C-alpha cells in the first residue's frame, strides 16, 4: 500500500474560513487537515512528523503569538533540507498579526508568503501548487541525502569486511600451508597440494560472490565453503535432505558458513589434523522451519571470544529478526551453532528461477 500524501495544515479558527480554504486546497489534489489553534497545530505536526507536512496556511485569526512561537521553533530546529512553506492570509500587511511578527526574527524568509485578504481562489490554488512543488523538491533532497547516508554506511561496512577478510585470508593461507607442509614428503608434493587448496579456496570465494552457475543445493553450499579449509573430504560430515535456499538466505548463510570455517581453521576443529566438522539439517514438523546445525569435534577446547568482532557479529546476526534466533554454544567437544531457516525461504525441488519461490513450491515439499 502506498504511503498517504502529506497534508497541508490549515489554521483558521473561524469554521467558515476553514471549510472554504480546505475546499480550495483540496481542489488542487492536496489533502488538508484543519486545526483550530496553536495547540492543535503542534499536535498535528507531532502526529504527522515535520517531514510529512506539505505546507501551512494561516488565517489572520489563527496567527496568534503561540502559533508564531511554534513556527519559530520549527524554523530554528528543522533539518538543513527542510524549509516549511507557510502562507499567511491577513487583513493588513502594514499591521501584521503577532504570529507573523515573531517570524520576522528568522532571517530566511524564502519559505514564507503573505497575502492580503480577500484572495481569489484561482490565485490561492496557484500558490498552493507552487508551495507543494517546493516542498516536494525538499522531500526529494531528503531522500537523496538518506540514500547517500546509506551508501556511506554500506561503503564503510564493506571496507571493514574487506579488511577483515584480507586478515582472515592471510591467516587461513598460513594455516593451510603449515598443515600441508606437515603432510608433504617433498617440495613438489607441497607445491601441488598447497596449490590445489589455494584453488579450492579461490573457488569458494567465487561462489560466495555469486560467480557460480545455477542455484546450489544446501549441501553444495556447505561443501564449497568448508572443504577448502578442511583439506580432506572425510573431515566434513554433511547430512540432511536435498534442499535449495532463496538467493538472499543462501548468500547470507554462505557468509556465515565461510566465517565458521575460517574460525575453525584458525582456532577450532580444523586447526589440527584430527578435528572434524558435522553439518546437518532437519525439518521441524511443527513450524516447518529447517533446523541447521554446525558442530565441531576433535579440535582444541574453545571458549567465547573476549570481544565481539565483525565475524562474531556476522554469525550471530543471521536471521536474528526471527522468533528463533541463531544460537552459538561453546561446548567441551567444540563449537556448536544452530539456526532456524523459515519455511518460506527453502524448498525441496530445484527452483526454475533461482532465488524466487514458486507458487507451487510448498506443494513440492516432502511430507513431514
Amino acid at each position: 500500500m502506498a504511503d498517504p500524501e502529506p497534508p497541508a495544515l490549515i489554521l483558521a479558527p473561524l469554521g467558515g474560513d476553514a471549510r472554504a480554504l480546505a475546499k480550495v486546497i483540496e481542489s488542487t489534489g492536496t489533502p488538508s487537515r484543519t486545526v483550530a489553534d496553536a495547540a492543535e497545530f503542534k499536535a498535528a505536526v507531532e502526529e504527522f512528523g515535520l517531514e510529512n507536512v506539505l505546507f501551512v496556511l494561516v488565517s489572520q485569526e489563527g496567527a496568534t503569538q503561540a502559533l508564531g512561537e511554534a513556527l519559530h521553533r520549527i524554523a530554528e530546529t528543522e533539518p538543513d533540507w527542510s524549509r516549511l512553506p507557510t502562507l499567511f492570509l491577513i487583513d493588513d500587511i502594514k499591521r501584521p498579526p503577532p504570529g507573523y511578527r515573531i517570524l520576522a526574527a528568522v532571517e530566511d524568509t524564502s519559505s514564507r508568503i503573505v497575502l492580503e485578504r480577500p484572495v481569489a481562489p484561482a490565485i490561492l490554488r496557484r500558490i498552493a501548487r507552487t508551495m507543494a512543488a517546493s516542498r516536494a523538491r525538499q522531500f526529494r533532497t531528503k531522500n537523496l541525502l538518506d540514500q547517500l547516508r546509506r551508501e556511506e554506511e554500506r561503503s564503510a561496512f564493506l571496507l571493514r569486511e574487506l579488511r577483515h577478510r584480507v586478515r582472515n585470508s592471510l591467516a587461513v593461507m598460513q594455516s593451510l600451508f603449515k598443515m600441508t607442509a606437515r603432510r608433504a614428503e617433498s617440495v613438489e608434493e607441497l607445491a601441488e597440494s598447497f596449490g590445489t587448496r589455494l584453488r579450492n579456496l579461490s573457488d569458494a570465494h567465487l561462489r560466495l560472490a555469486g560467480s557460480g552457475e545455477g542455484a546450489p543445493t544446501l549441501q553444495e553450499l556447505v561443501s564449497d565453503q568448508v572443504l577448502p579449509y578442511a583439506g580432506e573430504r572425510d573431515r566434513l560430515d554433511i547430512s540432511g535432505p536435498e534442499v535449495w535456499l532463496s538467493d538472499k538466505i543462501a548468500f547470507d548463510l554462505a557468509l556465515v558458513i565461510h566465517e565458521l570455517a575460517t574460525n575453525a581453521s584458525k582456532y577450532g576443529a580444523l586447526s589440527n589434523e584430527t578435528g572434524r566438522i558435522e553439518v546437518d539439517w532437519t525439518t521441524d514438523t511443527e513450524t516447518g522451519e529447517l533446523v541447521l546445525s554446525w558442530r565441531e569435534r576433535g579440535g582444541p577446547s574453545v571458549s567465547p571470544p573476549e570481544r565481539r568482532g565483525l565475524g562474531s557479529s556476522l554469525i550471530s546476526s543471521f536471521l536474528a529478526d526471527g522468533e528463533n534466533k541463531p544460537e552459538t554454544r561453546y561446548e567441551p567437544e567444540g563449537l556448536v551453532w544452530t539456526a532456524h531457516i523459515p519455511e518460506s525461504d527453502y524448498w525441496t525441488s530445484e527452483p526454475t528461477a533461482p532465488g524466487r519461490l514458486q507458487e507451487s513450491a510448498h506443494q513440492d515439499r516432502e511430507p513431514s
Side-chain angles (χ1 to χ4, degrees):
M1 180 181 295
D3 293 334
E5 290 290 328
L9 295 184
I10 301 175
L11 201 166
L14 301 181
D17 285 352
R19 288 190 294 273
L21 291 172
K23 184 177 180 179
V24 173
I25 296 303
E26 290 175 0
S27 70
T28 67
T30 297
S32 68
R33 166 76 72 87
T34 58
V35 293
D37 53 32
E40 287 190 14
F41 170 77
K42 289 187 285 187
V45 171
E46 184 175 348
E47 175 188 346
F48 291 110
L50 179 62
E51 67 278 8
N52 290 315
V53 175
L54 197 60
F55 60 83
V56 178
L57 194 161
V58 185
S59 71
Q60 169 83 25
E61 297 75 19
T64 61
Q65 180 172 338
L67 176 76
E69 291 171 352
L71 289 173
H72 191 274
R73 280 193 295 272
I74 289 176
E76 289 187 328
T77 60
E78 61 186 338
D80 290 340
W81 61 266
S82 175
R83 292 294 182 271
L84 180 61
T86 306
L87 170 61
F88 286 89
L89 301 179
I90 64 178
D91 294 333
D92 187 350
I93 291 181
K94 296 180 180 179
R95 293 187 297 171
Y100 181 79
R101 290 199 302 270
I102 290 176
L103 290 182
V106 180
E107 293 182 1
D108 186 356
T109 61
S110 61
S111 61
R112 294 198 303 277
I113 300 176
V114 184
L115 295 178
E116 283 190 350
R117 297 190 299 192
V119 179
I123 294 176
L124 187 56
R125 279 192 291 269
R126 189 179 306 123
I127 293 176
R129 292 191 181 100
T130 300
M131 290 194 299
S134 172
R135 190 63 165 167
R137 287 192 291 272
Q138 294 178 26
F139 291 153
R140 288 195 292 272
T141 299
K142 174 184 181 296
N143 291 337
L144 287 173
L145 291 173
D146 289 343
Q147 182 178 348
L148 286 173
R149 176 183 52 78
R150 289 192 296 269
E151 291 296 331
E152 288 177 355
E153 291 174 352
R154 175 173 171 76
S155 297
F157 169 79
L158 291 176
L159 181 58
R160 293 195 303 270
E161 176 71 5
L162 176 61
R163 290 170 177 168
H164 174 71
R165 293 208 171 276
V166 168
R167 289 195 298 267
N168 267 353
S169 296
L170 292 174
V172 167
M173 283 191 286
Q174 184 180 33
S175 176
L176 288 177
F177 181 81
K178 289 180 179 179
M179 191 182 305
T180 307
R182 284 197 296 267
R183 296 186 177 187
E185 297 181 356
S186 66
V187 174
E188 290 75 13
E189 182 181 349
L190 171 61
E192 182 178 355
S193 298
F194 186 60
T196 299
R197 286 179 171 173
L198 284 182
R199 284 192 297 274
N200 290 339
L201 187 61
S202 174
D203 291 342
H205 279 281
L206 289 175
R207 278 277 196 172
L208 191 58
S211 300
E213 296 181 359
T217 64
L218 179 53
Q219 180 170 350
E220 291 170 337
L221 183 151
V222 173
S223 297
D224 287 340
Q225 300 305 323
V226 180
L227 284 179
Y229 302 93
E232 306 294 337
R233 186 169 291 275
D234 59 6
R235 300 186 69 185
L236 173 62
D237 182 16
I238 302 177
S239 62
E242 188 173 50
V243 296
W244 285 260
L245 305 176
S246 64
D247 276 351
K248 176 66 167 64
I249 295 298
F251 182 79
D252 290 349
L253 180 60
L255 288 173
V256 172
I257 297 296
H258 178 87
E259 193 66 36
L260 289 169
T262 299
N263 291 344
S265 70
K266 294 192 294 184
Y267 318 113
L270 299 182
S271 65
N272 60 22
E273 297 184 6
T274 58
R276 295 170 50 80
I277 303 294
E278 299 173 0
V279 182
D280 63 70
W281 53 90
T282 57
T283 302
D284 187 316
T285 56
E286 294 185 1
T287 65
E289 295 176 327
L290 194 68
V291 183
L292 173 68
S293 296
W294 166 288
R295 297 182 182 85
E296 299 184 22
R297 298 289 182 264
S301 60
V302 295
S303 59
E306 295 182 358
R307 64 181 183 87
R308 184 183 175 91
L310 181 61
S312 299
S313 299
L314 182 68
I315 293 170
S316 62
S317 64
F318 178 72
L319 292 175
D321 294 334
E323 293 183 3
N324 295 317
K325 300 182 184 300
E327 180 185 11
T328 302
R329 303 193 305 275
Y330 296 87
E331 298 184 349
E333 298 83 1
L335 181 139
V336 178
W337 179 79
T338 306
H340 297 257
I341 298 175
E343 187 177 12
S344 59
D345 283 312
Y346 77 93
W347 58 103
T348 57
S349 60
E350 185 171 7
T352 56
R356 292 201 302 270
L357 293 176
Q358 306 300 309
E359 292 182 358
S360 60
H362 292 287
Q363 300 174 2
D364 296 334
R365 292 190 183 281
E366 297 173 353
S368 53

